[in-house]
Amino acid sequence: MEEPCGAGAAAPLRGDAEEPKQGSVLFLGGNEVKSSAVVKYSSAPPQAAFARLQEKTDLKLPPANWLRESAKLGPAGTTILGNSKKSKPFSSFGMAYDFIDSVGNDVDVVSDSENIKKLLKIPYSKSHVSMAVHRIGRTLLLDELDIQELFMRSSQTGDWTWLKEFYQRLIDQKWQRKKKSKEHWYQKAILSKFLYYSINGDGAAQPVPSTSKQHQGGPVAGESDEAGRASWPAPFEMPSSLSEDPGASNQGLKNDFVRNILWTFEDIHMLVGSNMPIFGGGRYPAVSLRLRDNNKPINVLTGIDYWLDNLICNVPELVMCFHVNGIVQKYEMIKTEDIPNLENSNFSTKVIKDIAQNILSFLKSNCTKEGHTYWLFKASGSDIVKLYDLTTLCEETEDKYQNPFTMPVAILLYKVACNMMLKKNQNKKHYGTIRTLLLNCLKLLDNGRHPQIIASANYMLSELFQLDEPKKEDSADFPINGNSDESYSEEEEEMPDSDENGSYSNSSDPPDDNKAVAIIKSVGELSVPEKYKSVHRIRPSCAFPVCHGTEERCRLVLNHVLEGLKSVDSSVKKEGDLPAADPSTPIPLKYEDESTSGGPESLEKQMALFLDKMGSFQKGKHSSQSGMIPGSWQYKMKLQLILKSSRAYYVLSDAAMVLQKYGRALRYIKLALQCHDTYCCLCGSMLPEVLVFLCQCLTLCGDIQLMLAQNANNRAAYLEEYNYQTKEDQEILHSLHRESRCQGFAWATDLSTDLEYQLSVSCKCYEAAYEILLFSNLKSQNPEQHIQVLKRMGNIRNEIGVFYMNQAAAVQTERVVSKNVSTTEQQLWKKSFSCFEEGIQNFESIDDATNAALLLCNTGRLMRICAQAHCAAEGDYKREFSPEEALYYNKAIDYYLKALRSLGKRDVHPAVWDSVNWELSTTYFTMATLQQDYAPLSRKAQEQIEKEVSEAMMKSLKYCDVDTVSDRQPLCQYRAATIHHRLASMYHSCLRNQVGDEHLRKQHRVLADLHYSKAVRLFQLLKDAPCEFLRVQLERVAFAEFQMASQNSSAGKLKTLSGALDIMTKTRGAFQLIRKDLVAESEQISKDKSPAESMSVNDSPAGLNKEEVLKLLGIFESRMSFLLLQSIKLLTSSKKKIGGTNEEEAVLKTNKQVYSLLLRATANKGLSLLERTELILNLLDQLAPRNTEGNPGMQ
């Protein structure tokens, strides 16, 4: 017969944990069985030595200390020995709550040691087994399910009637309550008295004659049926506050064990609760004490009982006291490893190990659904073990909350998930497990009864999705199948349970067993090694949902947030003054038109109100419209959920921005800011990270408004995106509207159609973000954020500056009649200038030299626009370069030079450096050109003007980089060539108009010659400026003619003429380019067969100006004709005088021939432009072989 070892409940106080004791490997009966035990917690006092009772001590008499407190019992009080009441039905949950780290992960089983022993004795015992099994992750929780007690309760309360009916129908039709025998109570009483005698180590264990018979045959004090039944909690009694208060000791949910032990038996890890009294001292460090009736030999069941108790508690020896009818006879000491070999009690430890592994595999294979209550049942005297899914049976008949395990399981799932979330060292591979735990927890809960846990679980589910890095690739965020050994999958739950050995299946069972999930047909099978193998791996795969994009991830987050918000809102009492909004009705998004928006002025007021509100956070005058009490769980949870939704909408907005869906981006950032506004209304003080996030939202909102302004042509599409709303967003908004009007950021998120207003809103967003960083002293903690905001402020001020500058330029071009600058223009200049100035300050404050240089460059451009505005209307023949123009051009030059100083050197940013240099060169060139073309002779002397023009041109050349290879190089070369041409023309003109100072004339002659030759060299490099090259060469010819006029000797004149003709022959390249263009044009015409289209004079493929070509060709022919004639005359006269050389005769002959051809050609007016060009090329070819000395200018 089995003997119960000392039981009892631990006191609720937690004592110091005993020193963890490592168990040794035991070699028993030739079969190696590995067992080790570590005490995780103990409320027992230090082990006291047991008192060896004298022979003939009568155990029927109570000792003096019976059921009294004793220092040796410690905090456990009298219950440790006096009350051997069975463990409560939720004892494993009590342990699981205390050791939440072990649940779902390291431990296979959590249970009372009595249940473990009962399971391992199944093949040896005829007694019935009834246990509730729950799965949490990879851990199974086992609890006794006392059918007798349950049905007694059922007849009183009406609960569990469905199970009672099921039990009577399938298992035991004539069920009735079985009474405990008198013998049972007698044995319990003498054991209790024996243990009390034994702890009284000072020899004062005097029997006290009993004055009352209350203990003699009845139950031990406190062990009534009622007391036992009271341990079953009624359904729904679980308070929702349990999630907040881990120490909440609801009935039956305390950890009632004297010690909790982590027991490893072979490869099975178990968290076991034990109340076995352990004694020590003297020669024996730890012994267990047992009382045996001498007339009844030890059987196998008792032997297994004693052996397992000692293994679990790591006790090396057993002391047995034998009695006859309550009179002590003798003591005997047995080592733990010898227990399996006792006479009449032989058993194989290897078989026990196989039984343990088989039962665990059987349960793990079949108890697959987290949150379900399974019932392992073996009827008394039966060999068949059945497993039922009570949750499924319950749902078929009644409300799931009729199952009293529902709440403890839900709470445990929630706590395990919480614990995993809190662990900082957990990485993302655990997220699949956490998600599964929480989803299964939510399946068990009812919103009306447990809103707090539902809200909290939904919040945690939303937290699993990382929203912090919107820019990263989604695939990097979550392993797709990388967490297969950490969690289990819901998908796998639906797999049909089967086993490769065919040990359990439903096919051949009798019809009344079709409700069972699985069956062990014979308990004998459990002794066969590896008879049952778990078809579910210990940690099957549970992949975290793979989100195929940021939007999908955010939508999952918002879905959980919405469920959480619904839970919170449903638990807050509805106030009478709340607007009865219907969540299914869209909340209109306000659409601003430029006709209704008050423009930048009203924006200023709204901004001031917003910043005033932001500044008032310290005053803490914030309250909820719905009547939530600050500090309540609803209040705290709603704040968290609102913040989470705000972050999700921010990420959605950012993603839409990347996709250039700016209307959608604005809608999402509007929702993010509406969430934030509600948060502000509820929260008295803002956390720094929340303020930083608000800055990010405002910054993104500014970016979106700027992009909307820059993409005005898609406005209709953006408006459609902006006004679209999902049902989910509407419901979240509805929840927000319970707390606030959500209008705090309306000024920033309205979609306007006015460009200026959009730019102003963008600027105000950045300014608001900057102000928040300033007044909350977050600037230093978030330098990156601060720099980003300032950079954007600088950028938007540049945009606005450019906007006003372009407007001013447009007004200027429209101004035809009025010669004076209008007030509108001046206002626009001022606005533009102040924006540029503020932008420059922003960039300089963060040492952004490149952007500061760009803004200085734009300011220079503004100054040039101002200068252009001051020039008088075209067509005025008295037009002169005005002092105002000079002033603004000089200001522009100052800004460009500042820009170069800001950059310092080209290496900082070559592109910007080159751009500024080009603008500076252009400004000098424009100023010089205007001074040259519209000389201010009424204010300055000609010489002064020439000097200024020359200086400006030389400065323009200085900043015009002709050598660096870039896209701008041809432009620079053209500009430099033009400057040299203009300077040469100016000196040429001076030379013609100057009288007197010979030294000065000579200087001008040399300078003109020098600049002409430089202009020619540069124009020759260009392939698209034949006309310019031709013009310069013709001016050089004219210059030569001018020099020839002042020469007296024939030889000198002949030399000059020869040089001039040489210049003419060098224009051959330009004519070839012209011919090429004309040929290409005629081919194009013949291909198109539409000569009508070619009638335009200026139309040609290369942009050749035909009018210009005709004009230059006319001049060229006349000058060539003149030069040839003069040459012929001079050569003829010199030949007459002195007789020419052979060379001169050849030249004369060629010149005559060419001159004759030229005269004939010019006389023929019917020649086309192409024919005339080809003729000139032919003539130049005839002149070319003649190698003259050339002219000094070319050398």
Side-chain angles (χ1 to χ4, degrees):
M1 170 188 164
E2 291 180 56
E3 289 289 348
C5 72
L13 293 168
R14 282 280 168 262
D16 295 329
E18 286 183 11
E19 204 57 41
K21 289 173 283 195
Q22 295 300 328
S24 54
V25 175
L26 303 177
F27 296 88
L28 303 171
N31 297 318
E32 182 184 324
V33 174
K34 297 190 196 110
S35 170
S36 67
V38 179
V39 178
K40 300 286 277 184
Y41 155 81
S42 173
S43 62
Q47 291 161 8
F50 69 94
R52 200 180 264 266
L53 303 189
Q54 293 171 1
E55 223 174 299
K56 310 295 182 196
T57 302
D58 188 353
L59 296 178
K60 293 191 287 294
L61 300 175
N65 62 348
W66 193 38
L67 303 180
R68 290 188 190 162
E69 287 191 24
S70 157
K72 292 179 182 174
L73 298 175
T78 54
T79 54
I80 187 170
L81 303 175
N83 180 1
S84 61
K85 184 174 70 176
K86 279 187 301 202
S87 64
K88 295 183 180 175
F90 295 110
S91 59
S92 68
F93 288 90
M95 276 193 284
Y97 291 164
D98 280 353
F99 298 100
I100 206 84
D101 270 350
S102 306
V103 179
N105 195 13
D106 317 326
V107 171
D108 295 301
V109 176
V110 178
S111 187
D112 178 356
S113 61
E114 296 301 313
N115 296 333
I116 304 275
K117 291 190 294 182
K118 197 174 278 189
L119 282 179
L120 298 186
K121 290 187 296 186
I122 284 179
Y124 300 94
S125 168
K126 292 289 179 192
S127 58
H128 91 289
V129 174
S130 172
M131 284 185 205
V133 186
H134 295 91
R135 183 182 190 124
I136 307 288
R138 61 163 277 177
T139 304
L140 297 175
L141 275 67
L142 305 178
D143 291 282
E144 185 170 4
L145 190 62
D146 192 329
I147 294 291
Q148 308 268 329
E149 227 169 75
L150 210 56
F151 294 166
M152 280 298 290
R153 173 186 165 74
S154 169
S155 24
Q156 292 165 10
T157 61
D159 299 331
W160 290 82
T161 47
W162 60 274
L163 183 59
K164 189 174 176 181
E165 287 164 14
F166 170 74
Y167 181 83
Q168 287 179 320
R169 189 170 76 251
L170 289 187
I171 295 154
D172 186 357
Q173 284 81 3
K174 308 182 192 67
W175 176 80
Q176 56 179 18
R177 174 92 172 150
K178 295 180 179 67
K179 293 275 184 186
K180 295 261 176 34
S181 65
K182 274 192 174 184
E183 173 66 17
H184 170 81
W185 298 119
Y186 165 72
Q187 292 294 345
K188 289 198 86 155
I190 68 162
L191 172 65
S192 175
K193 290 167 192 169
F194 164 66
L195 291 171
Y196 270 92
Y197 274 118
S198 299
I199 62 166
N200 204 359
D202 55 6
Q206 301 301 323
V208 176
S210 174
T211 53
S212 153
K213 296 286 178 193
Q214 66 179 35
H215 302 304
Q216 288 303 310
V220 176
E223 178 58 35
S224 68
D225 290 349
E226 301 306 316
R229 274 203 305 282
S231 64
W232 275 96
F236 329 134
E237 280 180 12
M238 193 69 212
S240 64
S241 63
L242 191 71
S243 60
E244 293 275 303
D245 174 15
S249 56
N250 193 37
Q251 46 177 322
L253 286 172
K254 286 194 304 188
N255 184 354
D256 277 343
F257 297 102
V258 175
R259 55 183 74 74
N260 300 128
I261 297 152
L262 196 57
W263 181 41
T264 306
F265 185 59
E266 282 295 311
D267 57 348
I268 304 167
H269 302 288
M270 293 178 259
L271 181 62
V272 181
S274 171
N275 289 328
M276 184 176 80
I278 299 174
F279 297 88
R283 304 209 324 267
Y284 317 109
V287 294
S288 57
L289 207 53
R290 304 286 181 173
L291 185 64
R292 291 295 307 160
D293 190 331
N294 213 6
N295 299 327
K296 295 175 185 169
I298 296 178
N299 60 18
V300 172
L301 294 172
T302 312
I304 292 173
D305 225 32
Y306 291 173
W307 182 69
L308 289 173
D309 266 332
N310 277 17
L311 277 191
I312 289 167
C313 295
N314 213 32
V315 175
E317 290 177 292
L318 160 71
V319 172
M320 210 152 355
C321 173
F322 292 93
H323 74 96
V324 175
N325 296 327
I327 307 297
V328 174
Q329 300 294 313
K330 60 172 180 173
Y331 279 84
E332 193 177 316
M333 186 163 279
I334 303 160
K335 288 191 172 177
T336 301
E337 60 261 40
D338 295 336
I339 298 174
N341 304 319
L342 289 177
E343 199 181 340
N344 302 320
S345 169
N346 275 9
F347 61 89
S348 161
T349 57
K350 192 87 168 59
V351 169
I352 302 289
K353 179 200 79 170
D354 292 334
I355 293 167
Q357 287 169 335
N358 278 325
I359 288 177
L360 183 67
S361 293
F362 173 76
L363 291 175
K364 286 218 164 180
S365 294
N366 297 295
C367 303
T368 53
K369 296 182 182 175
E370 214 165 26
H372 280 228
T373 298
Y374 292 92
W375 178 31
L376 185 72
F377 180 78
K378 178 177 94 75
S380 187
S382 168
D383 266 2
I384 299 172
V385 183
K386 297 177 183 176
L387 185 72
Y388 297 97
D389 182 348
L390 290 189
T391 305
T392 310
L393 292 175
C394 173
E395 283 168 355
E396 286 170 10
T397 54
E398 293 183 47
D399 172 15
K400 65 183 169 188
Y401 299 101
Q402 285 292 325
N403 176 355
F405 283 105
T406 299
M407 265 317 289
V409 172
I411 298 289
L412 187 55
L413 289 165
Y414 173 78
K415 278 172 170 272
V416 172
C418 276
N419 183 59
M420 290 179 90
M421 282 289 277
L422 291 170
K423 283 190 183 171
K424 293 282 180 273
N425 59 350
Q426 295 280 8
N427 61 26
K428 289 175 185 170
K429 68 179 181 178
H430 291 277
Y431 282 3
T433 313
I434 296 170
R435 181 171 174 272
T436 308
L437 289 164
L438 290 169
L439 289 174
N440 285 325
C441 168
L442 287 172
K443 281 180 197 167
L444 299 176
L445 296 170
D446 173 55
N447 200 14
R449 293 164 177 150
H450 318 108
Q452 184 179 0
I453 304 176
I454 288 176
S456 185
N458 273 300
Y459 175 65
M460 279 201 284
L461 281 165
S462 74
E463 278 288 285
L464 291 175
F465 295 88
Q466 298 296 291
L467 295 178
D468 305 333
E469 306 108 19
K471 296 280 190 287
K472 285 190 181 176
E473 279 295 312
D474 295 317
S475 57
D477 278 7
F478 303 109
I480 294 174
N481 289 314
N483 54 352
S484 58
D485 60 336
E486 284 302 330
S487 47
Y488 80 95
S489 127
E490 292 175 279
E491 289 74 36
E492 277 198 37
E493 290 176 4
E494 306 308 321
M495 282 170 46
D497 294 313
S498 63
D499 185 80
E500 56 193 44
N501 301 324
S503 306
Y504 41 90
S505 79
N506 298 342
S507 56
S508 60
D509 290 335
D512 60 0
D513 280 333
N514 62 358
K515 297 282 184 189
V517 174
I519 293 171
I520 297 173
K521 291 175 188 167
S522 167
V523 291
E525 292 179 354
L526 293 172
S527 309
V528 180
E530 295 188 13
K531 174 71 178 170
Y532 291 94
K533 287 178 184 170
S534 177
V535 289
H536 275 62
R537 282 171 290 164
I538 287 179
R539 301 177 185 180
S541 166
C542 166
F544 197 76
V546 180
C547 299
H548 297 292
T550 308
E551 179 142 11
E552 191 184 340
R553 195 183 331 152
C554 292
R555 280 286 157 210
L556 282 167
V557 168
L558 289 168
N559 183 36
H560 290 304
V561 166
L562 176 59
E563 291 306 313
L565 286 172
K566 283 179 179 171
S567 265
V568 173
D569 291 343
S570 67
S571 73
V572 177
K573 285 178 184 166
K574 317 283 188 293
E575 294 290 319
D577 57 351
L578 256 185
D582 174 12
S584 60
T585 309
I587 293 166
L589 288 158
K590 192 169 155 228
Y591 169 56
E592 280 270 334
D593 190 84
E594 66 263 37
S595 54
T596 56
S597 69
E601 291 74 21
S602 68
L603 199 59
E604 291 284 351
K605 287 178 194 165
Q606 287 175 301
M607 259 289 291
L609 284 169
F610 159 72
L611 288 171
D612 182 53
K613 177 181 172 183
M614 291 302 297
S616 69
F617 275 123
Q618 284 69 29
K619 296 164 197 170
K621 293 179 184 171
H622 301 275
S623 63
S624 148
Q625 290 180 9
S626 66
M628 274 196 310
I629 302 151
S632 65
W633 74 263
Q634 287 102 329
Y635 174 82
K636 290 176 188 168
M637 184 51 66
K638 191 152 190 176
L639 278 179
Q640 291 299 317
L641 289 164
I642 287 170
L643 201 54
K644 189 72 186 177
S645 59
S646 185
R647 287 186 192 281
Y649 283 128
Y650 170 81
V651 175
L652 280 169
S653 179
D654 191 69
M657 182 80 171
V658 173
L659 296 171
Q660 299 180 349
K661 302 278 186 187
Y662 303 123
R664 189 197 299 177
L666 186 63
R667 167 164 56 89
Y668 283 136
I669 204 68
K670 176 167 187 158
L671 286 160
L673 286 167
Q674 282 178 318
C675 292
H676 221 290
D677 188 36
T678 309
Y679 186 91
C680 297
C681 286
L682 290 175
C683 197
S685 58
M686 296 286 265
L687 294 167
E689 55 268 27
V690 178
L691 282 172
V692 170
F693 174 63
L694 176 56
C695 290
Q696 289 171 343
C697 285
L698 285 165
T699 307
L700 181 58
C701 187
D703 293 350
I704 295 163
Q705 291 282 13
L706 174 58
M707 295 320 291
L708 284 165
Q710 289 177 346
N711 294 275
N713 48 344
N714 283 343
R715 196 167 274 149
Y718 296 145
L719 182 60
E720 192 178 329
E721 287 172 11
Y722 178 70
N723 285 329
Y724 172 78
Q725 248 187 325
T726 66
K727 187 171 187 296
E728 201 170 61
D729 295 341
Q730 289 167 21
E731 290 186 22
I732 289 173
L733 258 182
H734 173 66
S735 180
L736 298 179
H737 276 272
R738 288 170 59 90
E739 313 304 336
S740 88
R741 285 180 58 246
C742 303
Q743 287 301 307
F745 296 95
W747 57 270
T749 55
D750 288 325
L751 179 57
S752 171
T753 54
D754 178 57
L755 186 60
E756 184 182 353
Y757 185 78
Q758 281 178 321
L759 290 170
S760 302
V761 168
S762 179
C763 187
K764 292 293 172 233
C765 286
Y766 299 138
E767 283 171 15
Y770 182 67
E771 289 292 326
I772 292 166
L773 286 174
L774 271 190
F775 71 62
S776 55
N777 298 320
L778 291 167
K779 201 167 84 172
S780 50
Q781 292 101 303
N782 299 275
E784 186 56 37
Q785 182 84 6
H786 178 239
I787 288 167
Q788 283 303 317
V789 171
L790 276 169
K791 200 168 259 191
R792 283 171 160 81
M793 275 166 74
N795 179 51
I796 190 66
R797 282 167 172 163
N798 178 47
E799 290 286 341
I800 298 172
V802 169
F803 171 76
Y804 287 134
M805 178 166 71
N806 291 341
Q807 276 199 319
V811 170
Q812 188 181 306
T813 51
E814 286 164 13
R815 173 164 55 86
V816 181
V817 186
S818 165
K819 292 179 186 178
N820 299 325
V821 178
S822 65
T823 328
T824 316
E825 273 179 275
Q826 289 178 331
Q827 288 298 321
L828 288 168
W829 294 343
K830 280 179 187 170
K831 283 182 180 178
S832 180
F833 181 72
S834 73
C835 286
F836 287 142
E837 208 168 34
E838 286 172 353
I840 291 162
Q841 284 170 5
N842 292 147
F843 286 126
E844 284 177 348
S845 68
I846 54 170
D847 299 324
D848 188 340
T850 310
N851 280 315
L854 283 169
L855 263 78
L856 285 161
C857 198
N858 276 339
T859 316
R861 188 173 147 223
L862 174 68
M863 294 301 122
R864 281 160 63 191
I865 286 173
C866 295
Q868 286 162 19
H870 281 91
C871 74
E874 276 186 54
D876 188 347
Y877 64 94
K878 289 180 183 176
R879 158 101 166 93
E880 278 191 4
F881 184 67
S882 66
E884 290 83 6
E885 283 178 273
L887 172 77
Y888 281 115
Y889 278 122
N890 281 314
K891 277 188 177 179
I893 286 163
D894 286 344
Y895 282 112
Y896 289 130
L897 289 170
K898 272 186 194 171
L900 288 178
R901 282 199 296 276
S902 170
L903 287 168
K905 53 185 177 182
R906 186 173 186 269
D907 300 351
V908 174
H909 200 298
V912 176
W913 176 270
D914 292 347
S915 176
V916 176
N917 269 309
W918 172 253
E919 294 296 334
L920 187 54
S921 169
T922 305
T923 310
Y924 276 123
F925 177 71
T926 308
M927 196 163 71
T929 307
L930 288 169
Q931 269 185 299
Q932 196 177 6
D933 295 351
Y934 305 103
L937 292 166
S938 60
R939 298 195 319 277
K940 293 179 184 177
Q942 178 73 37
E943 290 82 2
Q944 177 68 21
I945 293 167
E946 284 169 6
K947 186 185 173 191
E948 285 177 12
V949 168
S950 175
E951 282 174 0
M953 287 291 192
M954 292 314 287
K955 282 178 180 170
S956 181
L957 267 178
K958 177 186 169 186
Y959 294 106
C960 186
D961 181 3
V962 292
D963 302 320
T964 307
V965 178
S966 69
D967 294 342
R968 201 180 267 132
Q969 192 184 23
L971 276 176
C972 290
Q973 288 171 338
Y974 186 85
R975 161 79 48 81
T978 310
I979 290 170
H980 285 301
H981 178 198
R982 274 185 166 270
L983 284 171
S985 298
M986 186 178 79
Y987 292 127
H988 184 172
S989 172
C990 291
L991 200 59
R992 282 177 183 277
N993 302 328
Q994 215 170 28
V995 192
D997 192 343
E998 191 55 41
H999 172 71
L1000 203 60
R1001 282 175 65 80
K1002 188 178 179 183
Q1003 196 179 351
H1004 282 162
R1005 190 183 299 118
V1006 169
L1007 285 169
D1009 211 28
L1010 174 73
H1011 287 297
Y1012 274 134
S1013 59
K1014 283 186 176 178
V1016 165
R1017 197 181 75 245
L1018 285 162
F1019 277 131
Q1020 269 177 325
L1021 294 172
L1022 298 164
K1023 299 292 176 212
D1024 56 353
C1027 293
E1028 287 83 346
F1029 178 72
L1030 211 51
R1031 186 177 290 281
V1032 175
Q1033 293 290 53
L1034 286 170
E1035 280 191 30
R1036 286 180 75 191
V1037 169
F1039 184 58
E1041 285 178 19
F1042 173 71
Q1043 282 179 294
M1044 193 174 74
S1046 60
Q1047 287 175 324
N1048 298 322
S1049 72
S1050 292
K1053 280 185 177 181
L1054 202 57
K1055 190 176 179 182
T1056 307
L1057 274 171
S1058 177
L1061 280 168
D1062 198 34
I1063 291 168
M1064 287 252 171
T1065 58
K1066 284 180 180 168
T1067 58
R1068 192 165 170 276
F1071 280 113
Q1072 281 175 331
L1073 283 171
I1074 291 168
R1075 181 182 63 181
K1076 187 181 167 187
D1077 284 348
L1078 290 168
V1079 167
E1081 185 188 340
S1082 64
E1083 281 174 2
Q1084 186 67 36
I1085 290 166
S1086 60
K1087 195 188 287 182
D1088 296 346
K1089 292 182 180 176
S1090 52
E1093 289 177 14
S1094 68
M1095 297 311 285
S1096 163
V1097 177
N1098 295 321
D1099 188 33
S1100 80
L1104 193 68
N1105 187 339
K1106 283 192 182 175
E1107 209 173 301
E1108 175 84 348
V1109 172
L1110 281 165
K1111 190 177 159 189
L1112 289 170
L1113 200 59
I1115 298 169
F1116 189 88
E1117 286 169 349
S1118 75
R1119 291 341 293 154
M1120 194 176 180
S1121 170
F1122 170 77
L1123 289 173
L1124 286 168
L1125 182 61
Q1126 292 302 316
S1127 169
I1128 291 164
K1129 281 180 182 176
L1130 279 168
L1131 283 168
T1132 310
S1133 65
S1134 104
K1135 186 182 170 187
K1136 281 176 183 174
K1137 282 180 186 174
I1138 53 170
T1141 61
N1142 289 339
E1143 192 181 326
E1144 282 181 348
E1145 278 181 20
V1147 168
L1148 180 62
K1149 187 183 174 187
T1150 306
N1151 285 4
K1152 279 181 179 177
Q1153 196 178 341
V1154 170
Y1155 182 63
S1156 154
L1157 286 168
L1158 184 61
L1159 282 176
R1160 257 177 260 152
T1162 47
N1164 183 1
K1165 301 295 180 190
L1167 288 177
S1168 70
L1169 186 56
L1170 179 58
E1171 286 166 342
R1172 283 173 70 183
T1173 308
E1174 283 177 334
L1175 179 80
I1176 295 288
L1177 276 168
N1178 184 27
L1179 296 176
L1180 291 174
D1181 282 344
Q1182 289 182 41
L1183 284 172
R1186 182 178 56 92
N1187 287 325
T1188 61
E1189 295 83 15
N1191 69 64
M1194 285 309 289
Q1195 291 158 4

